[in-house]
Amino acid sequence: MASQCDATTHLIPMRHIFFILSLLFLNISFAQEVKLPDAAGGFYPDDPKQLSDMIDACLKDANPKTPEGRILAIIAPHAGYGFSAGTAAFSYKLVEGTPYKTVIIIGPSHFYSFAGVSVYPSGVFRTALGDVPVDSDFTAKLLNQNPEIIFDPKAFEKEHSVEVQLPFLQKTLVDFKIVPIAMGDCTLGACQKLSDFLSAAIGARDDVLVVVSSDLCHSYNYHLTEKTDRATLDALLKMDDEAFYYGVRDGKFQACGAFPIVVALKLAKAKGFKDLEVLKYTNSTEVISKKEKGVWSVGYAASVISAKPEGENMLDTKQQKRLLQIARQAIIEHFKGKKAEEIKETDPDLSKPMGSFVTLHNKGKLRGCIGNIIGGKPLYLTVRDMAIAASTQDYRFSPVEEAELKDIDIEISVLSVPQRVASAEEIQLGKHGVIVKRDGHNGVFLPQVATETGWTKEEFLSELCQQKAGLAPSAWKDPQTELYIFTAQVFKE
């Protein structure tokens, strides 16, 4: 039965109306909030043409070595443009014209002392070149999860470390949003938490760039600045986040953006990016050609973190043999009723979190295949666990029996980080493994499935949808279906 409106008039007290209107006004003003520049006219020109021309000249003069793989992060200095813009241009030259849609800018808080991390939630940041919107959907995934990661507006008042990166981004990218992050005094645990949240928010996206804002040593001794900076950059090249963190704490290394650097190194490890290159180094005394004692000297460096190109072997022969040894030993120990052995492995490549599948064959016939697409553990432990699972938990087969072991061959597939693709046209059969996701359903085929079956691309994707994901065979053609690709280094006994 349809209900009817109550004809009785209900009067709202005037004070309530004012309260409601004030709430509406606050919401509207917050949604339209503009973060005005603090460093314009000081750190960089506030005249649009002068600023634009200055950056153009710096980019024209920069000639960095281009990394072969995809770029995850750049590190750029944040001093006055007259001192550091020429160095910063080496980093930004590498991303000029690239299709990044979200840029995470992580800088230190210079003027406001606090513990933890401040994430600017929404609104826009203004420079002489225009307004840059904050990616509020992304920032929402970082906030309200941990008491050390909050929004404290004081961390962005008078702060230049994030702001000075914006004009360079406005000159090199189009149609992008930013995630402004200011870091105070942070524990290693807080750095790890921020890295974890960033990694989860990025997911498999390949259109997210991280910009770390940091200068290096500050001293009144030119030679001390150079010596300290050499030690800092040598440590940076090793990409050991913990050693870098404690080296800064102990005073061996110096970088005002040390904690943002640690976060970037941790994020690179989580995402499988293991190549770091220093593109350019200088310092303020070199810039002004005044290498005198008592002159304030600050170091500046431009760096890039990238991944090896797809298809390049990730592990050498020795590393492959070690993983195969670990897999077989894990299965043997399982049959003996022992718990999974806590293996100690020092090889840095085998200790990085990476996805892996273990496949078992008995005289050429499949006996089990289980893996993790995204490695939550060090690679060698993932291989250990997947070897046991492949021999006991693949529901398609009865568990492997101990008497079979002499006839079992082990094959390991080490996976690259999955990347989302816009359409099936980007998939190369035999090279790419594919993940399909839709409405809570997902499935995966390794790259070698196409080679072993001889399927066409349409057959490969249709079988993936139907067999593995429980979807309609044609679901891969729907734009609402998510497709991800990855590569695999496959080796066997």
Side-chain angles (χ1 to χ4, degrees), residues 159-426:
E159 181 55 57
H160 62 278
S161 66
V162 170
E163 182 185 321
V164 298
Q165 308 298 339
L166 298 179
F168 268 100
L169 289 168
Q170 289 172 297
K171 291 291 294 182
T172 53
L173 303 181
V174 296
D175 189 26
F176 68 96
K177 297 180 179 180
I178 58 171
V179 177
I181 300 175
M183 299 186 71
D185 188 13
C186 288
T187 64
L188 189 62
C191 293
Q192 183 66 63
K193 280 293 182 184
L194 179 57
S195 172
D196 291 344
F197 293 156
L198 289 172
S199 180
I202 293 170
R205 290 179 59 183
D206 59 1
D207 60 352
V208 178
L209 174 69
V210 177
V211 174
V212 174
S213 183
S214 181
D215 293 338
L216 298 176
C217 180
H218 297 55
S219 81
Y220 278 105
N221 186 314
Y222 163 75
H223 298 291
L224 176 61
T225 295
E226 278 214 325
K227 180 181 178 181
T228 305
D229 287 345
R230 280 198 300 271
T232 301
L233 294 176
D234 285 345
L236 186 62
L237 287 169
K238 295 176 182 177
M239 297 188 72
D240 187 332
D241 55 276
E242 290 195 19
F244 189 85
Y245 178 88
Y246 289 115
V248 170
R249 286 294 195 194
D250 293 340
K252 292 188 296 183
F253 317 134
Q254 190 179 131
C256 54
F259 302 140
I261 289 173
V262 170
V263 172
L265 294 178
K266 286 183 174 293
L267 182 62
K269 182 186 294 184
K271 293 297 186 183
F273 288 73
K274 55 184 180 180
D275 296 338
L276 189 149
E277 203 164 340
V278 176
L279 306 167
K280 174 73 173 176
Y281 169 76
T282 188
N283 53 61
S284 58
T285 50
E286 288 184 345
V287 173
I288 62 175
S289 300
K290 197 172 182 180
K291 303 177 183 179
E292 298 176 5
K293 195 171 184 181
V295 175
W296 188 240
S297 182
V298 181
Y300 313 122
S303 304
V304 62
I305 298 175
S306 62
K308 288 183 179 180
E310 286 188 357
E312 185 173 332
N313 285 342
M314 294 172 275
L315 305 177
D316 60 28
T317 303
K318 181 180 178 181
Q319 292 167 327
Q320 295 172 32
K321 288 182 178 179
R322 175 59 178 149
L323 289 181
L324 289 166
Q325 178 189 47
I326 289 172
R328 181 165 288 278
Q329 188 62 35
I331 297 173
I332 292 173
E333 294 293 334
H334 177 76
F335 278 121
K336 292 180 179 179
K338 297 182 179 180
K339 291 184 178 180
E341 180 187 357
E342 265 315 318
I343 309 162
K344 300 297 182 183
E345 183 56 61
T346 58
D347 188 308
D349 288 332
L350 303 186
S351 301
K352 293 183 177 182
M354 298 177 71
S356 178
F357 273 70
V358 175
T359 304
L360 307 179
H361 290 94
N362 185 333
K363 298 180 180 179
K365 294 183 179 180
L366 183 63
R367 283 294 281 120
C369 179
I370 289 182
N372 279 336
I373 298 294
I374 304 294
K377 295 180 178 180
L379 174 60
Y380 71 93
L381 293 180
T382 297
V383 167
R384 177 201 66 183
D385 295 344
M386 294 306 100
I388 295 172
S391 65
T392 60
Q393 297 173 24
D394 191 331
Y395 67 88
R396 298 171 297 175
F397 310 98
S398 60
V400 172
E401 297 179 2
E402 188 172 6
E404 288 184 85
L405 273 182
K406 64 182 186 301
D407 298 317
I408 291 290
D409 294 318
I410 300 175
E411 177 183 279
I412 296 174
S413 301
V414 177
L415 312 182
S416 67
V417 178
Q419 307 295 332
R420 187 172 179 179
V421 294
S423 72
E425 292 182 4
E426 299 181 52

